[in-house]
Amino acid sequence: QLNTSTQLNTHFLRRATRGHASSTLLIPKALEEPSSAMRRSAPGPGGGGGTIRFRTTFHNTIYDVFRARGWKETDSETEWDVAWVDTGWIRENFDTMHLEEHQRVNHFRNHYELTRKDCMNKNLKRMQRSLQREEKHEEARKYDFFPNTYVLPVDYGLFVEEFKHHQAGAIWIMKPIAKAQGKGIFLFNKLSQITEWKKDHRWKPDNPQAETYVVQRYLENPLLIGGKKFDLRIYALVTSFMPLVVYLYRSGFARFSSFRYNTNQKNLGDTYVHLTNVAVQKTGPGYDAGAGCKWALRSLKLYLIGKFGVQATDKLFYEIQELVISSLLSVQKVMIHDKHCFEMYGYDILIDETLKPWIIEVNASPSLTADTPQDYELKFGLLDDLYTVIDVENKLGGVIEECVGGYDLIYNNGPMKSDKQSCYTTRLGCFDDRVRQLKRLHKAHAKRASSSAQH
């Protein structure tokens, strides 16, 4: 029988080693079927000798992570310890289920309050107005990171009035509220151009069959690199809304368009110029599947430091971190909190030419399918560290750690203080040595467990 200290040692070293193996070899050795000995000795809740049981319909990186941790797959609807499911499953099953104390699932019941475009806009505007009424003007001014937005068909009259106040030729963008991967998005600069859209979508203000869209002022002045438009994918993990507990993953990536940016009238319909979604770009002419269209967040940060300096770049990345926190605070009071739930949000952020960040959208189910070796390395570490934070095996003993692998705690019922010894106010985009950090975490908890056992 292993003592607590040895169990911690075995667990964390195995986790660190597997993470490193996956980064180097791309396919972790631990993807092989766990041995019977491993199954018997695996710690934590679950059946079959204590092995964690997972349920998922996804066979991509998340499945690899579960297998690499030595967990056992089950197709049971109820007898699982962790479930990674789509939002449709939550909608159909969550309200009728009774979850045991230890079970964890990857969505909150009303995740859509932030991830559906119309709901996000509603909540951000409501938070901004609430702060203004309370005369918290400095806090209200922080909510300037989303473009002017209307929901159609409901707000069509208001939108037309707003449209008329802008100079001729101003560009707007329309997006269906519940679609992803760039589907249904189009740009326009004349009201006549959406007249055709209204015909196609059986549009009437009171027609329940009309597909709901959001319309926004298009951000025409994005920061360009090599003449091309890009946006950022940032990952935030919320383990609780009451109180709000948020981790931000250090790594992420920039997604680039394939063609040089321009706003010429004839190119408004060219999605390869204006949309950075990988699902769109990979269908374009000349797309190189081996190279992809992504750039690591750390590489982007180093480029920006070289071009704009440390202070300006750090300010930008800190504002992105603040944007994430502010957006989550805007939905905190309306979220249905449940201790069994957590959420890993995929934030899409655009940077304009003045180095101001803008929130484009928040994804409840960011893609976990890797399209390059580097993408696999990022997503494997992202998900592996996530389950170290969630800690279904109770290796952390309920302690909320400030750093777990590549995750940094940025909010715990209040903003975390920045490291005074660092020249940066946020670790977002900094070097992510997750393997070494996990080893340090192991040593700290092994020492704590040993001390507790002695007393």
Side-chain angles (χ1 to χ4, degrees):
Q1 180 68 34
L2 296 176
N3 61 34
T4 305
S5 176
T6 306
Q7 286 177 333
L8 284 166
N9 180 65
T10 304
H11 170 76
F12 280 109
L13 282 180
R14 186 172 69 235
R15 295 295 341 110
T17 303
R18 281 182 183 148
H20 183 69
S22 69
S23 301
T24 306
L25 302 177
L26 302 181
I27 301 177
K29 294 189 298 182
L31 292 186
E32 301 170 2
E33 187 70 22
S35 66
S36 58
M38 180 185 293
R39 293 188 183 208
R40 285 194 299 272
S41 63
T51 304
I52 300 296
R53 300 160 298 176
F54 72 88
R55 184 187 189 282
T56 185
T57 55
F58 295 93
H59 283 265
N60 50 29
T61 315
I62 185 63
Y63 186 82
D64 291 353
V65 168
F66 287 149
R67 292 289 302 278
R69 296 180 78 94
W71 294 355
K72 180 181 179 181
E73 184 176 12
T74 177
D75 57 4
S76 171
E77 288 285 346
T78 57
E79 295 182 3
W80 44 262
D81 303 305
V82 297
W84 191 279
V85 294
D86 58 32
T87 55
W89 189 93
I90 293 289
R91 183 174 59 251
E92 294 170 8
N93 297 282
F94 193 83
D95 289 343
T96 60
M97 293 185 66
H98 169 74
L99 296 180
E100 299 296 335
E101 179 73 20
H102 66 275
Q103 289 181 297
R104 296 291 182 269
V105 64
N106 65 311
H107 293 297
F108 286 91
R109 175 62 183 88
N110 58 335
H111 60 86
Y112 51 79
E113 292 290 353
L114 187 60
T115 59
R116 216 175 74 177
K117 299 176 184 71
D118 58 334
C119 293
M120 180 182 76
N121 177 64
K122 173 195 69 178
N123 287 310
L124 289 174
K125 284 183 175 178
R126 186 187 62 225
M127 186 67 168
Q128 190 178 47
R129 289 194 298 267
S130 175
L131 291 170
Q132 289 169 344
R133 284 195 301 270
E134 295 171 12
E135 297 188 351
K136 297 179 179 178
H137 300 297
E138 185 175 347
E139 290 184 46
R141 279 193 291 270
K142 292 181 179 179
Y143 285 84
D144 64 347
F145 51 76
F146 59 103
N148 203 2
T149 305
Y150 296 90
V151 180
L152 301 188
V154 177
D155 295 336
Y156 183 74
L158 294 173
F159 162 65
V160 170
E161 289 302 312
E162 179 71 17
F163 184 92
K164 291 176 180 178
H165 284 105
H166 288 268
Q167 64 182 27
I171 301 174
W172 297 75
I173 185 169
M174 287 193 65
K175 309 173 185 178
I177 62 166
K179 290 183 179 177
Q181 299 182 329
K183 295 174 182 176
I185 297 177
F186 65 93
L187 277 62
F188 67 96
N189 59 5
K190 298 178 182 177
L191 282 177
S192 60
Q193 291 169 310
I194 62 170
T195 302
E196 295 302 315
W197 167 80
K198 287 163 60 177
K199 291 177 182 177
D200 291 344
H201 290 78
R202 304 182 301 279
W203 184 90
K204 286 189 182 298
D206 57 350
N207 183 4
Q209 294 182 333
E211 184 175 12
T212 305
Y213 274 66
V214 293
V215 59
Q216 302 172 318
R217 266 308 308 271
Y218 184 59
L219 299 170
E220 298 182 43
N221 63 331
L223 179 66
L224 305 178
I225 295 180
K228 297 177 181 180
K229 181 181 176 181
F230 68 94
D231 68 3
L232 306 183
R233 167 58 59 85
I234 306 296
Y235 297 99
L237 171 62
V238 177
T239 59
S240 166
F241 273 101
M242 291 294 174
L244 183 61
V245 179
V246 186
Y247 286 86
L248 195 62
Y249 202 65
R250 292 188 187 188
S251 299
F253 52 84
R255 307 179 300 182
F256 284 80
S257 61
S258 301
F259 296 92
R260 295 180 70 85
Y261 178 77
N262 69 82
T263 54
N264 297 337
Q265 169 72 32
K266 65 178 182 178
N267 289 326
L268 287 186
D270 191 339
T271 55
Y272 302 124
V273 171
H274 295 286
L275 303 184
T276 60
N277 308 71
V278 176
V280 171
Q281 293 298 326
K282 69 181 182 181
T283 64
Y287 176 76
D288 185 345
C293 58
K294 299 175 182 176
W295 200 15
L297 187 63
R298 182 168 181 261
S299 298
L300 175 74
K301 189 172 188 177
L302 291 173
Y303 169 84
L304 295 176
I305 288 173
K307 188 173 179 64
F308 300 103
V310 171
Q311 186 174 356
T313 303
D314 181 58
K315 179 176 180 290
L316 165 64
F317 276 70
Y318 182 73
E319 287 176 353
I320 293 173
Q321 178 173 303
E322 289 287 285
L323 177 158
V324 170
I325 293 172
S326 296
S327 66
L328 292 167
L329 286 171
S330 77
V331 299
Q332 182 186 19
K333 293 181 179 179
V334 298
M335 292 300 294
I336 302 172
H337 176 69
D338 191 306
K339 64 183 180 181
H340 302 95
C341 303
F342 63 90
E343 196 89 41
M344 186 188 75
Y345 293 105
Y347 278 76
D348 293 342
I349 309 293
L350 184 89
I351 304 170
D352 70 20
E353 61 186 8
T354 68
L355 295 188
K356 175 180 173 57
W358 297 83
I359 190 169
I360 303 301
E361 64 179 325
V362 183
N363 299 273
S365 301
S367 173
L368 302 179
T369 301
D371 50 18
T372 65
Q374 294 77 19
D375 201 30
Y376 183 91
E377 179 180 350
L378 165 66
K379 290 174 179 175
F380 189 96
L382 170 78
L383 296 166
D384 194 31
D385 292 346
L386 179 151
Y387 277 101
T388 303
V389 174
I390 299 303
D391 195 27
V392 290
E393 297 156 316
N394 197 31
K395 294 298 179 181
L396 302 183
V399 177
I400 299 177
E401 292 289 342
E402 292 189 12
C403 183
V404 179
Y407 282 99
D408 293 301
L409 184 66
I410 61 171
Y411 200 92
N412 182 16
N413 204 26
M416 300 297 293
K417 295 180 180 179
S418 57
D419 186 354
K420 293 182 179 180
Q421 296 180 340
S422 173
C423 61
Y424 297 102
T425 54
T426 175
R427 293 172 178 165
L428 179 63
C430 292
F431 178 62
D432 177 14
D433 191 351
R434 52 181 295 271
V435 173
R436 181 176 296 180
Q437 198 287 324
L438 288 172
K439 288 181 178 179
R440 286 199 299 266
L441 187 64
H442 138 70
K443 289 180 180 178
H445 279 271
K447 184 176 181 180
R448 186 181 305 166
S450 177
S451 177
S452 299
Q454 292 174 4
H455 291 86

